[in-house]
Amino acid sequence: MQVKLTFETTVFDTQIPSPNINYVPQPPMNNMTKLIWGEEHGNHQQILQDMPHIVMYLTLRLDSDTSKEEFSFPSTSLVLNKKLVHVSYWKESEHLFLVSLPAERVSLLHLKNMTADLVRTLRFMYKSLDRAFCQAENVPRLDHFFSLFFQRTVRLSILRASTGRGAEFYDACSSHLIDNLPGVRWLSLPEDVKTEIDTILSDLEALDFAELSEDYYETRRLYMILGTCLFYKGYLLANHLPKEDLIDVALYCRHYYLLSLASERIGQLVIWREVFPGYHLVKDRSPSRDEYSPPEARYFLLIVGLKHFMLCTLLEAGGCTSKAVGNPGPDYIYVDQLKACLLQLEMLDTSIEERLHTSPNPCLSCADWFLPSARDKFQSVVNSVMMSKLQTPKKALISDHQTSLRTRRPSPTRSSGGSDNGSEGVGETVGFHSTPELTRKVGRRESQGSGGSEGSGGSGSVLKIGKKKYTLPNPFNLGSLRRSLSEREAEDVYKTVKLTSGSENTLFHYIYLETVQGVFISPTHREVEDLSGSIHPLLIQNFHRCCLSIRSVFHQTLVEERQSDSTCKDYAGLGPVKEHGVLFECSPENWTDQKKSPPKMSYWVIGRLFLQPQPQEFYVCFHDSVAEVAVELAFKLSFGMPL
């Protein structure tokens, strides 16, 4: 139906400013967005001028009869000037927060999650929506806040529709799901590196040295450090904050592009502001003699960045420390100590970079490799490499630091036949120009395991020799194999993890959310960039869109479980586990051969929700040739992870 909406602007008791107030511009943040986006900043402004978008904070004026009823405000869609527009709502007491964006820029489900993140970030910055919208001094700040929000929405929608396949495309595709997960992207590190980082942060949080000690000035400390979290190029390396505080800080950093800025390189960054973390301001806890009650205190966020490191610190003023009066600025002693901490962490820069540039662990495969035509070409390339390697003397083969156990094993094919001639495959393959580059590419494809179809035309005997010599045996019985390999090659055998079953690695992508720690594990940007192709980037994009829908199903399941009265449930079937999966079939875009139908490839996107002992979510994408059990994949991925 056609509906006419009328909005009336009134003056509240909190004195909303009149339009003739001179807004104070904030050039530093605008300059930062120009630094990150470059010339695209102006294009986003132009697109916003022609795009219907709005944020409103409304007061509901209800009569006495209807005010007693409970109103629900679901998300809606409407046609505005022949354009489909989505509207999301958030009700808070007698007020209504409303966000609207075009359907071509964002989906309705994504908009609902974005609205919830906006509300949480505003509460973290201003304590409540009322304080944010109904105080005159916040008007220019909110203008800038929502300007960044709309510009980021436009930028992500442009990147998702682009033909680029770099790190920015991966960020845009994954934002469907990643931005709405109650966790932060975690980068697992070697145990010695992680221990060193935790030790440095713990020493900082102790505040028992130099000018931070109470004995130094014989007065109370100005602030107490509640916890810290450390980022490197946008990845979380260590966290000493409660989960809720970590998510609040991460949302704030993401909204103001601080994580993106650290991915580039920071000369020096210092941010200081008062915040209102909900975890410490909850007042409805049941009073108990044994329960800790937070003090009447004020909280401040101090962020210091240096090069690719960014250290976020949550400070408390009050309680056992001095009370903060007025609007205190950042104390230089605390800023200097955080800088010194980052300078101390710089010695680990090389180890962290090595972790970012190592081969995927667990191993990943590219979807294009499973297309019939691509598999034939790939098999031919592998056969050619096998022939050249087998003709090389054994000593030279072992001493070559470019070689790898995974690159020498041929990839088995499920289709009949295979490659007819190895040398022809090299000529047909585009992008493989040298043996080292080929070795790196093939290493991404190979799985931990071997076997496959019997024979492959003229090169069948060569393949048999290769399989027999380089088959990956039981990982607990590598004695004979280790004697014939170099130390580095043998070490790769132990370190490599393959999640999927069968002879081939059929895993395309995964996300594992650990709700207790508030972190999630997923492939790094470098790992995804190395798996380029025609359909694999589209698979990554579709994976995150599908997982967003699956997660909404899980959320509805949790709501129904909480509403039920069964406190002592007798779980049947899957027990306290929920699973949802979708089977997709895809083919290359812009297929030009009219005589042949485009090749097709099928894959699964499966999500699994574990309710006990704590809610955990696992999403995986793999080829449909091998039946996988999501619970086994999740166990393999999470077991032994140094969280």
Side-chain angles (χ1 to χ4, degrees):
M1 65 176 64
Q2 293 184 354
V3 180
K4 181 180 179 181
L5 300 178
T6 303
F7 300 97
E8 178 185 3
T9 303
T10 60
V11 179
F12 297 104
D13 298 334
T14 48
Q15 296 297 320
I16 287 292
S18 58
N20 58 1
I21 288 183
N22 294 325
Y23 293 161
V24 180
Q26 298 184 351
M29 294 300 293
N30 291 331
N31 292 338
M32 189 181 70
T33 55
K34 292 179 182 178
L35 176 65
I36 298 175
W37 293 336
E39 298 179 356
E40 299 178 9
H41 177 74
N43 298 334
H44 300 159
Q45 297 286 352
Q46 182 62 38
I47 294 175
L48 283 173
Q49 292 181 4
D50 303 329
M51 184 185 80
H53 61 286
I54 195 171
V55 169
M56 304 183 74
Y57 188 68
L58 308 175
T59 299
L60 302 176
R61 299 295 176 88
L62 305 175
D63 54 52
S64 57
D65 294 330
T66 58
S67 60
K68 298 179 181 179
E69 302 177 3
E70 293 185 1
F71 287 86
S72 61
F73 294 88
S75 301
T76 56
S77 300
L78 54 92
V79 177
L80 178 64
N81 296 331
K82 299 181 180 181
K83 284 188 176 182
L84 183 63
V85 176
H86 295 318
V87 186
S88 179
Y89 308 88
W90 186 279
K91 187 175 181 296
E92 188 172 277
S93 65
E94 296 181 354
H95 302 285
L96 188 66
F97 178 59
L98 179 150
V99 183
S100 179
L101 282 167
E104 62 182 2
R105 298 293 176 182
V106 63
S107 65
L108 183 58
L109 184 57
H110 192 193
L111 180 60
K112 290 174 59 179
N113 295 330
M114 293 167 66
T115 304
D117 288 342
L118 285 175
V119 172
R120 180 162 186 167
T121 306
L122 289 172
R123 287 174 175 172
F124 180 66
M125 296 173 59
Y126 301 102
K127 191 175 182 178
S128 66
L129 295 182
D130 273 352
R131 291 188 57 176
F133 286 95
C134 299
Q135 292 184 359
E137 62 269 17
N138 294 334
V139 171
R141 300 168 185 168
L142 290 183
D143 286 345
H144 178 67
F145 179 90
F146 288 109
S147 175
L148 292 177
F149 167 72
F150 287 124
Q151 289 184 60
R152 184 174 187 269
T153 302
V154 169
R155 175 174 173 78
L156 292 178
S157 64
I158 293 175
L159 290 175
R160 282 192 288 264
S162 66
T163 57
R165 296 297 184 258
E168 292 183 339
F169 177 79
Y170 179 42
D171 281 334
C173 294
S174 59
S175 63
H176 281 294
L177 178 68
I178 299 302
D179 288 357
N180 306 296
L181 289 179
V184 186
R185 189 190 296 272
W186 175 267
L187 180 66
S188 58
L189 296 172
E191 192 62 33
D192 56 338
V193 178
K194 185 178 184 302
T195 302
E196 186 70 21
I197 294 176
D198 288 332
T199 301
I200 295 175
L201 296 184
S202 297
D203 291 341
L204 171 68
E205 295 162 359
L207 293 177
D208 57 355
F209 56 89
E211 293 106 329
L212 295 177
S213 174
E214 292 183 347
D215 298 333
Y216 189 87
Y217 293 110
E218 296 184 351
T219 58
R220 283 190 177 186
R221 298 190 185 105
L222 294 178
Y223 306 100
M224 181 177 70
I225 297 181
L226 297 180
T228 58
C229 59
L230 178 67
F231 293 90
Y232 183 85
K233 289 187 176 181
Y235 295 93
L236 180 66
L237 301 184
N239 174 49
H240 293 180
L241 286 169
K243 169 193 169 183
E244 299 300 323
D245 290 344
L246 172 64
I247 296 176
D248 287 338
V249 172
L251 286 175
Y252 175 83
C253 293
R254 187 186 71 198
H255 186 88
Y256 285 99
Y257 300 97
L258 302 182
L259 299 179
S260 301
L261 188 64
S263 299
E264 301 295 331
R265 187 178 175 90
I266 301 175
Q268 181 175 319
L269 172 70
V270 177
I271 293 179
W272 169 270
R273 69 165 296 125
E274 184 175 7
V275 293
F276 304 89
Y279 178 78
H280 301 276
L281 298 176
V282 177
K283 300 298 182 181
D284 58 352
R285 297 176 181 174
S286 57
S288 174
R289 182 175 301 177
D290 300 330
E291 186 178 355
Y292 168 78
S293 59
E296 295 291 336
R298 295 172 64 181
Y299 302 91
F300 298 87
L301 178 64
L302 176 60
I303 302 177
V304 177
L306 185 65
K307 295 184 178 179
H308 295 298
F309 286 98
M310 194 172 70
L311 182 58
C312 305
T313 308
L314 188 61
L315 305 173
E316 179 186 77
C320 63
T321 60
S322 301
K323 290 186 177 181
V325 180
N327 297 315
D331 188 88
Y332 74 94
I333 297 177
Y334 288 82
V335 176
D336 290 344
Q337 289 298 332
L338 264 66
K339 288 182 181 178
C341 184
L342 291 179
L343 290 173
Q344 191 177 359
L345 289 167
E346 274 192 353
M347 63 180 181
L348 303 174
D349 184 280
T350 304
S351 300
I352 300 173
E353 284 294 330
E354 288 179 356
R355 165 61 184 90
L356 287 174
H357 289 82
T358 53
S359 58
N361 194 9
C363 293
L364 299 174
S365 291
C366 178
D368 295 73
W369 296 333
F370 288 82
L371 292 173
S373 59
R375 293 175 63 84
D376 294 341
K377 291 182 180 180
F378 183 84
Q379 188 69 27
S380 300
V381 176
V382 175
N383 295 345
S384 177
V385 176
M386 289 294 302
M387 292 179 65
S388 63
K389 293 294 184 182
L390 291 175
Q391 293 171 1
T392 306
K394 184 176 181 181
K395 291 184 179 179
L397 180 64
I398 296 178
S399 61
D400 185 7
H401 68 279
Q402 294 289 347
T403 60
S404 173
L405 172 68
R406 288 168 291 177
T407 65
R408 300 194 198 98
R409 288 179 290 99
S411 174
T413 60
R414 298 186 194 89
S415 57
S416 61
S419 61
D420 295 329
N421 191 299
S423 59
E424 292 180 1
V426 178
E428 294 174 359
T429 304
V430 179
F432 294 147
H433 305 295
S434 62
T435 301
E437 178 67 12
L438 174 61
T439 301
R440 187 176 70 85
K441 292 290 185 181
V442 176
R444 293 288 187 269
R445 169 69 182 89
E446 288 297 317
S447 63
Q448 298 308 298
S450 63
S453 58
E454 295 292 336
S456 293
S459 59
S461 59
V462 177
L463 287 177
K464 287 185 179 180
I465 296 175
K467 290 178 184 178
K468 184 176 182 180
K469 186 175 184 60
Y470 297 107
T471 299
L472 181 66
N474 189 323
F476 298 99
N477 186 19
L478 292 173
S480 58
L481 178 63
R482 190 178 180 88
R483 287 193 296 269
S484 62
L485 298 176
S486 65
E487 182 178 352
R488 178 172 179 174
E489 291 168 339
E491 185 179 0
D492 287 341
V493 176
Y494 284 101
K495 288 185 176 180
T496 304
V497 176
K498 184 172 79 74
L499 294 185
T500 57
S501 59
S503 59
E504 284 192 307
N505 182 28
T506 60
L507 179 66
F508 297 143
H509 206 74
Y510 65 89
I511 292 178
Y512 177 75
L513 173 64
E514 213 285 338
T515 59
V516 176
Q517 302 286 342
V519 299
F520 66 86
I521 304 169
S522 64
T524 63
H525 293 75
R526 177 64 181 268
E527 294 171 0
V528 176
E529 286 182 47
D530 288 342
L531 299 174
S532 59
S534 60
I535 65 173
H536 191 78
L538 302 178
L539 178 144
I540 297 296
Q541 188 175 26
N542 189 53
F543 168 78
H544 290 93
R545 275 202 307 256
C546 181
C547 290
L548 179 64
S549 302
I550 294 177
R551 192 167 190 273
S552 66
V553 176
F554 290 161
H555 177 73
Q556 184 63 29
T557 300
L558 290 176
V559 172
E560 294 174 356
E561 298 253 351
R562 294 190 187 115
Q563 291 177 349
S564 61
D565 269 339
S566 51
T567 55
C568 296
K569 288 188 177 180
D570 184 14
Y571 290 104
L574 287 175
V577 176
K578 306 298 178 183
E579 184 176 299
H580 192 85
V582 183
L583 177 64
F584 292 95
E585 186 179 80
C586 64
S587 58
E589 290 184 333
N590 303 322
W591 184 256
T592 57
D593 192 349
Q594 302 295 334
K595 298 181 180 180
K596 296 181 180 179
S597 59
K600 296 181 181 180
M601 192 272 298
S602 301
Y603 63 92
W604 280 96
V605 176
I606 293 181
R608 179 168 281 232
L609 172 66
F610 302 86
L611 297 177
Q612 291 182 354
Q614 294 291 337
Q616 300 180 37
E617 300 175 28
F618 180 71
Y619 304 92
V620 64
C621 179
F622 57 88
H623 194 257
D624 74 327
S625 58
V626 180
E628 300 291 349
V629 181
V631 66
E632 294 181 1
L633 297 178
F635 177 78
K636 291 180 182 179
L637 182 62
S638 61
F639 182 75
M641 278 291 181
L643 294 177

